[in-house]
Amino acid sequence: MSTLFAIAFETFLRLRRDRVFIPALLVGVGLLALSGLASYWGVEEFFKILYDLGTMAYLFTGSIVALFWGNKIVSDSKQEGSLEVQLASPIGRSTWLLGKFLGLTTVLIFLGILFLIAWQGIYFSYGMGWMKPFDLALFGTLTLVWIVLAALSIFFASIATQSVALFCSIWMFVAGLISAPIMQALSPETPEETRKVVQVIAGLWNLHLFNISQSVVKYHIPVVPDDMGYRICYGLLLTGFFLSCACVGFQRKDIIA
Amino acid sequence: MTHAMLEIKNLKKVYDRDLFKKKQLVVNDLSCSFLEGQCTALMGHNGAGKTTTIRMIFGLITPDSGEILFQGKPLTIDDKRCFGYMPETNKLPTNLTCEEILKHHLRVFRPKHLKPSEYKQAIEEKLKEIELWEHRHKRVGKLSKGMGRRLSWAQATIHKPNLIVLDEPMSGLDPLGYKLMVQLINKLRAEKVTIILCTHELWSIEQLCDQVHIMNHGQVVYSTLKPSASETKEASHIMTISGSNAESIQELARSHSLPLWLDMQSQNHRVELSFECYSDGVKWIQACIQNGLLIVDFQKLSALSEDRLIRYFGEEKTA
């Protein structure tokens, strides 16, 4: 266990110092601030625009950073050779991967907290006081998307080269965003078999499930604990699945720098 | 009696990664041992299978067959606590400081002789030993190559391993760094640490090693316990005589009943004779002086001279 935390701490330290950290923070905070401004000047309902743009800024900035870092922490270790030295020490390969994931998750949560502080700033600037528990639930579930994508990109990075892994991770991210809209856009004439296939894919890999802003802000449906539990379980299952695949794939791989 | 610290038995590895490329036999039924407390050189030309063998020892590459025994038992992950590894190039995380790297290393190895509260002290001692204490807060990316080598050394040795693998430890070092590295290796030898030294430098092998394994095509083709000239059946000394030719040398050998040479080469009134032992050469020196022949050179040949190595490296290639 201490080995796992040692690797997680090392990863946290490295990512915290990564050149992408400050730009990602600035871009995220900047987009959140812009969503605040756009909602103020927008023609539609203030809250709808604020939450639509805000969640999109939060989701996209964090997801891209998660994909990039997930890829980077494994690929950089391969490239600079520190992977070889670390695995030559008494560290199991799965422990190494899980430690890396844990470190990445910690940095992502840290980044998420900084974004939430910026969000609170928007609340204060419009005189709305402290943010509601709903906001915490909303951004919490969105952070789960980051964590799922981090596990996904670690999986690809552990079995493929950097460019291939990055391509596959981005492609999967896009697929996760468009699977549900494709399912909804199917015409009534679509054959039943095709519909079922699309339904299965959208059911298994649908990142919209993590965005609860639509149901609450647009349809005024309150957040139900059971519903939140379902979404959290879904996220954890996906994370566990990708990490398990990564561990199995990485276990068999020869480390040739 | 010295026991084998690490034993490799019938190790085999075929690289079969690319569907479109031919299978590549990298390590072929390799068997050798590394004696406890001894420094063993692992030599071979590029592509001989040294690095793959080392990576298999550390579990980075899975062998297709064969076994690796550590102190007589199959190697486990936990045994790696007793291992140290200094790779050929500096393979260190670039955005961590020297101090952080060593701290992380100790946290992973958790050496038995140190409590976590003593890590700081151990790091200080090690960084002072390798003259990097002043640079402890510097990130690895900002270090020079020589500093990086020394930090790699510190990382490989801070947990006091019983067995250490040094892959080209002298590469990229200036004369001062080189001298320091030799001192550090000698210190380890004095502490009876088992050392596996991968190098191409004959000087360092002769000075530092007790045992040599030469690899070619994934096998050990030559192995010796002490790389000294006297133990080999090969030519140990070579003499160059000026102002003579092959016929007169043969006549001299007959008339003075001199020991026969192992090899003779004659060109432009210069004759080069090689002898199996020093005493044969001395008899020839006396005879040459008596007959007024000029000896322009008489030297000891290294057991691992470049010529010999090229032969070992090349023999299997042509086979």
Side-chain angles (χ1 to χ4, degrees):
Chain A
M1 213 53 173
S2 60
T3 314
L4 183 77
F5 289 124
I7 298 162
F9 180 69
E10 187 233 13
T11 311
F12 176 81
L13 217 56
R14 294 194 67 182
L15 289 177
R16 172 58 201 84
R17 286 175 189 168
D18 193 80
R19 284 179 185 172
V20 172
F21 187 86
I22 300 292
L25 183 64
L26 292 176
V27 167
V29 170
L31 285 175
L32 287 173
L34 278 176
S35 66
L37 279 177
S39 57
Y40 184 74
W41 297 106
V43 287
E44 277 191 67
E45 199 184 335
F46 172 80
F47 274 105
K48 189 182 176 309
I49 299 174
L50 179 68
Y51 278 92
D52 276 355
L53 293 180
T55 50
M56 196 181 284
Y58 189 90
L59 176 71
F60 275 86
T61 314
S63 299
I64 290 165
V65 169
L67 288 175
F68 178 73
W69 273 344
N71 195 283
K72 187 179 164 69
I73 51 173
V74 179
S75 310
D76 273 8
S77 302
K78 282 183 193 169
Q79 268 176 8
E80 72 195 5
S82 60
L83 172 69
E84 189 184 326
V85 178
Q86 293 216 21
L87 292 184
S89 50
I91 302 176
R93 291 187 183 198
S94 304
T95 311
W96 186 83
L97 269 186
L98 293 177
K100 287 278 163 193
F101 171 74
L102 206 61
L104 174 55
T105 303
T106 316
V107 188
L108 289 175
I109 290 171
F110 179 55
L111 195 67
I113 290 169
L114 295 177
F115 284 172
L116 274 184
I117 292 170
W119 189 251
Q120 182 60 61
I122 294 168
Y123 258 63
F124 282 147
S125 64
Y126 286 118
M128 297 190 293
W130 292 99
M131 64 172 96
K132 313 282 177 297
F134 159 72
D135 293 73
L136 286 178
L138 168 67
F139 289 109
T141 45
L142 284 176
T143 309
L144 208 49
V145 177
W146 300 1
I147 293 169
V148 170
L149 290 173
L152 174 81
S153 61
I154 284 179
F155 161 62
F156 281 123
S158 64
I159 57 163
T161 57
Q162 188 174 15
S163 46
V164 173
L166 197 59
F167 173 79
C168 293
S169 308
I170 292 172
W171 190 88
M172 282 290 283
F173 174 51
V174 174
L177 289 178
I178 61 171
S179 61
I182 287 175
M183 189 182 75
Q184 284 163 4
L186 289 178
S187 73
E189 287 91 51
T190 308
E192 194 56 31
E193 290 76 20
T194 313
R195 185 180 292 276
K196 272 185 182 164
V197 170
V198 176
Q199 265 176 353
V200 168
I201 293 170
L204 287 174
W205 186 235
N206 177 10
L207 295 178
H208 285 288
L209 265 180
F210 296 102
N211 192 346
I212 56 170
S213 72
Q214 289 260 318
S215 51
V216 179
V217 178
K218 196 174 175 184
Y219 306 112
H220 306 287
I221 305 164
V223 184
V224 184
D226 280 357
D227 183 47
M228 280 298 289
Y230 160 71
R231 289 168 206 261
I232 290 169
C233 283
Y234 173 64
L236 294 179
L237 268 174
L238 282 177
T239 308
F241 172 73
F242 290 130
L243 284 179
S244 308
C245 292
C247 289
V248 171
F250 198 51
Q251 204 71 37
R252 294 161 183 272
K253 208 168 166 59
D254 285 339
I255 308 297
I256 300 162
Chain B
M1 193 186 156
T2 315
H3 299 280
M5 173 71 101
L6 193 78
E7 236 177 312
I8 293 174
K9 285 184 176 173
N10 309 105
L11 212 61
K12 191 175 176 183
K13 180 69 190 176
V14 179
Y15 281 148
D16 188 15
R17 286 173 293 156
D18 201 326
L19 277 176
F20 305 103
K21 281 185 185 167
K22 244 172 55 178
K23 285 182 182 181
Q24 194 188 351
L25 180 65
V26 192
V27 174
N28 183 14
D29 204 26
L30 173 74
S31 296
C32 61
S33 59
F34 300 93
L35 301 178
E36 194 175 342
Q38 306 265 300
C39 179
T40 307
L42 195 60
M43 298 183 75
H45 62 82
N46 297 332
K50 304 184 299 285
T51 308
T52 305
T53 306
I54 289 169
R55 285 190 176 142
M56 285 195 279
I57 292 172
F58 282 106
L60 299 168
I61 293 177
T62 318
D64 294 331
S65 61
E67 57 178 347
I68 301 169
L69 304 175
F70 177 65
Q71 294 176 327
K73 291 174 190 161
L75 194 67
T76 61
I77 281 195
D78 215 44
D79 288 335
K80 288 201 268 180
R81 274 182 211 292
C82 312
F83 288 10
Y85 178 41
M86 182 180 176
E88 189 179 352
T89 49
N90 300 328
K91 296 179 172 179
L92 301 161
T94 47
N95 59 356
L96 292 185
T97 66
C98 303
E99 205 172 14
E100 284 164 353
I101 284 176
L102 295 184
K103 201 180 277 179
H104 170 69
H105 189 76
L106 286 174
R107 278 183 187 146
V108 168
F109 273 82
R110 284 178 284 130
K112 282 176 188 162
H113 71 281
L114 282 176
K115 290 178 199 156
S117 57
E118 294 167 337
Y119 287 175
K120 208 174 172 184
Q121 168 115 29
I123 291 167
E124 186 180 336
E125 280 169 18
K126 188 50 86 176
L127 285 175
K128 280 180 177 167
E129 184 190 11
I130 56 161
E131 297 164 13
L132 280 183
W133 178 242
E134 278 73 40
H135 305 280
R136 63 190 180 279
H137 299 308
K138 234 184 206 178
R139 292 191 190 172
V140 171
K142 307 263 181 210
L143 295 180
S144 69
K145 193 178 177 187
M147 285 174 172
R149 290 308 284 152
R150 282 184 270 152
L151 185 61
S152 288
W153 168 271
Q155 194 185 33
T157 55
I158 192 166
H159 58 287
K160 295 203 186 301
N162 298 335
L163 184 146
I164 184 165
V165 178
L166 306 172
D167 199 353
E168 296 285 353
M170 326 287 193
S171 73
L173 291 179
D174 59 25
L176 281 177
Y178 194 100
K179 196 177 161 193
L180 178 68
M181 192 55 74
V182 170
Q183 281 172 2
L184 292 170
I185 296 174
N186 273 325
K187 199 176 157 197
L188 275 190
R189 290 181 70 205
E191 288 167 10
K192 291 285 167 205
V193 174
T194 309
I195 304 170
I196 301 176
L197 182 68
C198 291
T199 182
H200 294 294
E201 291 176 46
L202 298 179
W203 183 88
S204 49
I205 290 171
E206 286 200 328
Q207 295 298 310
L208 300 168
C209 297
D210 309 295
Q211 191 186 8
V212 179
H213 293 316
I214 298 178
M215 285 184 73
N216 195 352
H217 281 224
Q219 285 177 317
V220 170
V221 290
Y222 177 77
S223 213
T224 179
L225 264 181
K226 286 271 178 190
S228 71
S230 55
E231 288 188 4
T232 64
K233 291 283 180 192
E234 313 266 342
S236 71
H237 288 77
I238 192 156
M239 177 191 280
T240 311
I241 304 163
S242 183
S244 186
N245 55 31
E247 287 78 36
S248 56
I249 291 294
Q250 279 166 354
E251 181 53 39
L252 185 70
R254 264 197 300 275
S255 60
H256 288 72
S257 306
L258 292 168
L260 278 180
W261 52 83
L262 285 176
D263 187 33
M264 176 165 67
Q265 284 182 9
S266 172
Q267 202 177 18
N268 299 334
H269 300 288
R270 271 173 95 94
V271 181
E272 211 174 75
L273 299 175
S274 48
F275 303 105
E276 196 180 313
C277 60
Y278 176 72
S279 56
D280 290 354
V282 171
K283 285 172 190 161
W284 271 88
I285 291 173
Q286 287 167 348
C288 287
I289 292 169
Q290 281 170 15
N291 288 275
L293 292 172
L294 181 63
I295 300 165
V296 291
D297 192 24
F298 182 65
Q299 61 169 299
K300 186 182 171 188
L301 276 179
S302 160
L304 292 168
S305 67
E306 272 179 40
D307 286 350
R308 287 184 189 186
L309 281 181
I310 289 166
R311 211 168 68 223
Y312 289 129
F313 291 177
E315 260 171 12
E316 290 299 308
K317 263 186 176 176
T318 51

